[in-house]
Amino acid sequence: RMGQNERADTSMNNKRVRETPLPLSVQFATGAVSGVIGLCTVFPLDVAKTRLQNQITAKGTTGAYRNLWQTLTTVFRNEGARVLYRGLLPNVIGMLPESAIKLTVNGSLREYFTDEEGNIPLSRQVVAGAASGFAQVTVTNPAELIKIRMQVLAMEGKAANPLKIAINAGVRGLYTGITATLLRDVPFNVVFFSSYGYFKDVLADADTGSLPLWKVLALGIACGTAASAISTPSDVIKTRLQVEVKAGDVPYKGYLDCLQRTVQAEGWGALLKGIGPRCLIVAPMFGVTILAFEAMGKVYRK
């Protein structure tokens, strides 16, 4: 029979080695900075995605914008490079608290749910991811609404002032499309953080509990791709809800009305408009964000 001391030693050996948790203030600061780094890296691709998703075409027809590369080159050739960064400022302002909230809430809850052996059940990982999605929407929705309206005004050759857009929309108007934003961000965060956390634990060094930074980047991109694809339909609906209604157009009554009218007019395939650009945008953005977050965490721990 195994003695008490032997059982204790075995129990200690079976514990999963984890990196030292970062203080809440450090998580918040590194989350904010890493989010901005990721956003600035891929922003021109987001401009192209918005144009593809906002383009309404009849079944069986193609519009002026056909794919990511063609959209980017068309915009650059006809409107100049500056247009590819139209709407960046309000997104940077929004990304600072958004990324900080998202990464801090998820990280803090994961730490709270982790048991003494260093394990966290999948159900608790889902709760942590969902909570981070709910928390971030308070700043995500206004920032993205302003960004989208600036990008559409640029497409029409009009000047765009983010402050003026915000004032014209009003507090309530800034939360137009919040249901779609929730239905995009909550599933995204659940898939991304749960899969990233699981595979990080699987691939982590047995002695240190850490992961080489190149693996962090690759894992962030892979998990970001899966999460982006799953949440694309709600991203399409969100984009259409947040574009300012033009004179003569019938405004959408809400998420379900936009969904129904989109499918009736363009077919189910319309819900996947921009899925390629979205994956090419969000996957590397989250890869770079999580890389920056983990790298700054390593620097702090030293």
Side-chain angles (χ1 to χ4, degrees):
R1 292 178 61 183
M2 185 182 294
Q4 185 174 358
N5 290 337
E6 290 178 293
R7 285 196 300 269
D9 290 343
T10 303
S11 175
M12 289 294 291
N13 290 335
N14 287 336
K15 284 187 179 181
R16 177 175 293 165
V17 177
R18 293 186 294 147
E19 292 180 312
T20 304
L22 297 174
L24 198 63
S25 59
V26 176
Q27 286 191 53
F28 199 84
T30 54
V33 174
S34 59
V36 171
I37 292 172
L39 173 68
C40 293
T41 304
V42 299
F43 196 78
L45 300 177
D46 187 67
V47 173
K49 178 198 69 105
T50 297
R51 296 204 178 194
L52 283 165
Q53 290 184 337
N54 189 49
Q55 179 177 249
I56 298 175
T57 55
K59 295 178 183 178
T61 64
T62 57
Y65 303 117
R66 299 188 296 276
N67 55 57
L68 179 64
W69 179 249
Q70 183 266 343
T71 302
L72 281 171
T73 54
T74 299
V75 172
F76 179 80
R77 184 173 59 251
N78 295 338
E79 303 172 53
R82 287 185 61 186
V83 173
L84 294 174
Y85 283 92
R86 183 71 61 84
L88 177 62
L89 179 59
N91 262 256
V92 167
I93 294 171
M95 180 59 75
L96 285 167
E98 175 197 327
S99 186
I101 290 168
K102 172 167 50 188
L103 291 168
T104 302
V105 169
N106 179 74
S108 299
L109 286 176
R110 287 182 67 89
E111 181 62 27
Y112 176 77
F113 289 141
T114 301
D115 62 25
E116 293 181 356
E117 282 69 43
N119 300 311
I120 174 172
L122 179 60
S123 59
R124 300 293 177 89
Q125 294 187 48
V126 169
V127 170
S132 67
F134 273 103
Q136 77 176 66
V137 165
T138 55
V139 291
T140 302
N141 207 85
E144 292 203 3
L145 181 139
I146 293 171
K147 174 202 70 176
I148 287 170
R149 293 191 177 181
M150 288 185 73
Q151 291 175 352
V152 171
L153 286 170
M155 183 170 59
E156 297 170 352
K158 299 177 181 177
N161 184 310
L163 182 59
K164 185 176 179 181
I165 291 172
I167 293 172
N168 289 341
V171 175
R172 185 175 179 180
L174 287 172
Y175 286 91
T176 298
I178 192 169
T179 300
T181 307
L182 280 168
L183 290 174
R184 181 198 65 176
D185 288 354
V186 171
F188 180 97
N189 284 11
V190 167
V191 172
F192 179 82
F193 286 118
S194 298
S195 58
Y196 176 79
Y198 173 79
F199 287 110
K200 182 186 177 185
D201 286 344
V202 170
L203 299 172
D205 184 273
D207 296 324
T208 64
S210 64
L211 200 64
L213 291 180
W214 72 267
K215 288 186 178 180
V216 169
L217 177 62
L219 186 55
I221 291 173
C223 296
T225 300
S228 300
I230 289 170
S231 57
T232 293
S234 285
D235 190 54
V236 173
I237 300 302
K238 183 193 77 69
T239 297
R240 296 191 174 195
L241 285 169
Q242 292 184 334
V243 172
E244 193 166 12
V245 180
K246 298 176 184 177
D249 288 349
V250 179
Y252 296 114
K253 297 176 183 177
Y255 184 91
L256 291 178
D257 179 55
C258 183
L259 174 64
Q260 182 181 25
R261 286 166 57 181
T262 297
V263 172
Q264 284 180 345
E266 303 171 68
W268 288 100
L271 297 178
L272 296 178
K273 275 189 173 182
I275 187 171
R278 176 164 164 75
C279 289
L280 287 172
I281 296 163
V282 179
M285 182 175 77
F286 269 76
V288 171
T289 298
I290 207 74
L291 172 65
F293 184 75
E294 297 279 9
M296 286 187 281
K298 287 180 183 291
V299 171
Y300 177 84
R301 291 184 182 97
K302 290 180 180 179

